[in-house]
Amino acid sequence: VQLQASGGGLVQAGGSLRLSCSSSGRTFASYYMGWFRQTPGKEREFVARHGLSAGSTYYADSVKGRFTISRDNPKNTLYLQMNSLKPEDTAVYYCAAALFPRSEPTQYPYWGQGTLVTVSS
């Protein structure tokens, strides 16, 4: 599966952005999907993941209540709605796919190219 992330940009603290991750494969619905982020000098960290069924979501504590992950299988697209953004949310955000539920980045074999989110204070 090939993934393409988009939607990043510059936003003020307290603002919102929606990231999208489009998939080229026809089997998108079969993949567990995740969002990760990375800042320079730090390891890639888990943000959220979405299972195969609606509502099967899981979040990092740092984004819980502010971010919402969702998927539209007919459109082969994963989303990350980010609200109440903070400067510490600044990072390159990546989407990833796996055939089993996973939270560690090393356990995801398929990755998008990343999209930069910058939150100004």
Side-chain angles (χ1 to χ4, degrees):
V1 61
Q2 292 184 323
L3 305 173
Q4 177 96 18
S6 61
L10 174 64
V11 64
Q12 288 188 331
S16 298
L17 278 176
R18 188 177 80 156
L19 305 183
S20 299
C21 174
S22 60
S23 167
S24 62
R26 291 181 291 177
T27 57
F28 175 76
S30 301
Y31 288 91
Y32 293 82
M33 300 298 298
W35 285 101
F36 296 82
R37 65 187 182 186
Q38 189 170 23
T39 54
K42 292 189 176 181
E43 294 186 353
R44 196 166 294 187
E45 67 171 356
F46 168 78
V47 174
R49 73 168 189 242
H50 200 300
L52 303 184
S53 58
S56 58
T57 56
Y58 183 75
Y59 298 91
D61 288 342
S62 58
V63 307
K64 200 174 296 182
R66 300 188 297 122
F67 291 10
T68 302
I69 188 172
S70 62
R71 64 192 298 165
D72 186 334
N73 288 339
K75 293 184 178 179
N76 289 344
T77 303
L78 177 76
Y79 301 101
L80 185 69
Q81 177 67 44
M82 305 186 295
N83 299 329
S84 302
L85 282 162
K86 305 175 181 179
E88 52 263 42
D89 294 319
T90 295
V92 177
Y93 284 72
Y94 299 88
C95 57
L99 290 173
F100 302 95
R102 297 285 184 261
S103 292
E104 294 298 320
T106 55
Q107 296 170 318
Y108 281 77
Y110 308 105
W111 290 86
Q113 85 289 2
T115 184
L116 176 62
V117 172
T118 303
V119 184
S120 63
S121 57

